[in-house]
Amino acid sequence: MLFRLVFTLQAQKQLDALSAKDRKQYNKAFECFANNGPAYRSLRSHRYRCKNGDIWSSSASMAKRFYWRYTEEQSIEVTHIDSH
């Protein structure tokens, strides 16, 4: 495993509220992220610069994204999820 993922309370609540099908898509993306890192092409990761530091987003599917930030060299904090 390349990265350790930690979920904020907000992200965990959002994930817990999802259907089993949607949760499975996110879990697959999280596993891919942890094993391959954000540079893995199918995750389509993007950086957004904010006042409080950079926030990144990656795709779990075409309509499902998750947002995260680096907390340590190999630790990622997933802050929230979004679908559109």
Side-chain angles (χ1 to χ4, degrees):
M1 184 179 306
L2 289 176
F3 290 92
R4 182 175 66 92
L5 274 61
V6 177
F7 297 88
T8 62
L9 184 59
Q10 176 185 357
Q12 192 59 57
K13 284 182 179 180
Q14 290 176 306
L15 289 167
D16 291 344
L18 293 175
S19 69
K21 180 182 175 186
D22 289 340
R23 180 66 189 251
K24 184 177 179 181
Q25 286 180 303
Y26 277 105
N27 286 343
K28 185 176 179 182
F30 295 144
E31 181 180 343
C32 182
F33 190 102
N35 291 327
N36 300 292
Y40 192 70
R41 289 191 63 173
S42 69
L43 292 171
R44 297 185 312 277
S45 297
H46 300 282
R47 180 174 57 185
Y48 302 95
R49 297 193 184 268
C50 302
K51 291 180 185 178
N52 301 339
D54 295 345
I55 187 104
W56 294 74
S57 72
S58 296
S59 296
S61 72
M62 289 299 288
K64 294 174 178 61
R65 302 194 65 72
F66 59 97
Y67 297 85
W68 53 274
R69 63 178 150 239
Y70 290 99
T71 55
E72 295 175 20
E73 188 174 317
Q74 291 183 300
S75 291
I76 301 292
E77 179 182 52
V78 177
T79 59
H80 61 286
I81 63 171
D82 185 22
S83 60
H84 48 266

